[in-house]
Amino acid sequence: MNIQEVIALVKRTKELVENQELAEHIKVKGPADYVTQVDIRVQNFLKEELSRLAPQIQFLGEEAGLQEITGDSFWILDPIDGTTNLIHGYLHSTVSLGLYRQGEIVMGIVYDPFREEVFWAEKGKGCYLNNRSVRVANSRSLSETIIGVGTTPYQRELAGKNFQIFRRVFDCCQDIRRTGSAAMELAYTACGRQGGYFEACLQPWDYAAGLLLVQEAGGMVTDFLGEPTDPRKAGSVLATNGLLHQELLDLLNA
Ligand code: IPD
Ligand code: CA
Ligand code: CA
């Protein structure tokens, strides 16, 4: 299996993601947390096609219910990252697919069908946007850049602390951004559209692929304490071009 075959599969989800009628079939999962027929169909399609392409690799997908992972090699899929955007026709949703192997993410793909942008990386081989190699921004301080923030919308109890942090960061940078897709935020950090991005709690499928994109583009990813993240587990995520990491860590923990 090579990454171009996997990218080709992921790109075949375009029609499903752009199907507004399917996006209107909505179920509530939790407070402000929804799933649509698009999420389900994209996941079913990729689960089946990936198992055909690489039968030995297990599968962890957001919409599959509880799954026990026993092997040391598995896909981590967010079929739609940015479901709330999808429901509102906001056109900022991505398909995010990572491959975990023996302790690390070795392949990451984030696909934005609305802009025909595929961000992809393999361990040790750099980061690409479509056919072009990309790098993180070269900003040396927050005053030279914009920063993406995540609001942890399904954990409203974190809002007080989150918004205090946003204010501190806003006061130091050119502006803050919020796309509504964690995977897109990580991809935009990887290709230098923003200096960094952080969110107080993400699930493995939100950040597994984006984590590798940022690292392969020359950036840095840790939790809010500066420790390495474990992409099998939920937790806080801070991704930057590396140069801004300490400045942001200080603001997160002020
Ligand atoms: C959510 C999005 C959102 C982020 C949330 C995620 P979903 O994923 O990435 O931007 O703030 O933390 O859960 O529910 O749209 O797949
Ligand atoms: Ca997600
Ligand atoms: Ca999702």
Side-chain angles (χ1 to χ4, degrees):
M1 170 196 61
N2 80 45
I3 191 166
Q4 294 308 329
E5 291 175 286
V6 185
I7 290 172
L9 275 185
V10 171
K11 287 178 80 171
R12 280 173 59 196
T13 62
K14 181 178 170 72
E15 235 176 81
L16 282 173
V17 182
E18 292 185 340
N19 185 328
Q20 194 57 35
E21 206 179 304
L22 282 182
E24 280 158 24
H25 287 82
I26 303 166
K27 265 208 229 143
V28 180
K29 286 203 288 186
D33 191 0
Y34 308 97
V35 59
T36 77
Q37 270 304 312
V38 177
D39 306 56
I40 306 289
R41 297 251 199 124
V42 169
Q43 171 149 321
N44 290 346
F45 169 77
L46 283 175
K47 187 176 181 189
E48 198 177 314
E49 294 295 327
L50 288 168
S51 76
R52 211 171 291 174
L53 190 67
Q56 71 290 2
I57 301 178
Q58 292 186 295
F59 182 87
L60 174 69
E62 180 181 8
E63 310 303 344
L66 275 186
Q67 304 138 84
E68 182 127 354
I69 295 294
T70 46
D72 62 6
S73 180
F74 54 94
W75 300 107
I76 305 180
L77 175 73
D78 194 337
I80 293 293
D81 187 51
T83 296
T84 311
N85 285 344
L86 197 78
I87 291 168
H88 294 285
Y90 194 77
L91 308 188
H92 286 71
S93 303
T94 54
V95 179
S96 176
L97 179 66
L99 175 59
Y100 179 92
R101 184 175 288 148
Q102 293 169 341
E104 58 186 10
I105 303 293
V106 294
M107 188 187 285
I109 299 169
V110 173
Y111 175 44
D112 172 359
F114 301 107
R115 291 163 194 76
E116 270 310 321
E117 290 190 325
V118 185
F119 300 85
W120 54 280
E122 279 181 288
K123 185 84 193 171
K125 297 188 182 168
C127 179
Y128 295 82
L129 164 50
N130 296 336
N131 297 324
R132 168 167 78 82
S133 164
V134 290
R135 297 269 314 159
V136 289
N138 53 19
S139 336
R140 299 201 148 264
S141 86
L142 286 176
S143 60
E144 296 170 17
T145 192
I146 51 178
I147 296 294
V149 302
T151 54
T152 57
Y154 314 136
Q155 285 137 295
R156 298 279 162 146
E157 66 281 7
L158 300 179
K161 196 159 177 232
N162 280 338
F163 281 80
Q164 274 179 3
I165 295 173
F166 300 163
R167 176 64 205 258
R168 287 203 290 272
V169 173
F170 175 71
D171 284 345
C172 296
C173 69
Q174 291 179 345
D175 202 349
I176 55 175
R177 293 285 179 269
R178 159 80 175 148
T179 63
S181 161
M184 182 180 271
E185 298 283 358
L186 290 162
Y188 282 16
T189 301
C191 74
R193 290 179 185 164
Q194 58 190 11
Y197 153 73
F198 61 89
E199 184 151 354
C201 187
L202 291 178
Q203 300 297 323
W205 41 81
D206 297 319
Y207 75 96
L211 163 86
L212 185 66
L213 296 179
V214 174
Q215 289 173 340
E216 286 298 318
M220 187 182 276
V221 183
T222 68
D223 66 12
F224 278 14
L225 295 174
E227 300 296 330
T229 52
D230 180 344
R232 291 168 305 179
K233 296 190 181 142
S236 62
V237 173
L238 167 65
T240 71
N241 66 351
L243 302 169
L244 302 169
H245 216 80
Q246 192 56 52
E247 198 180 350
L248 273 168
L249 276 177
D250 290 346
L251 292 170
L252 292 173
N253 296 296

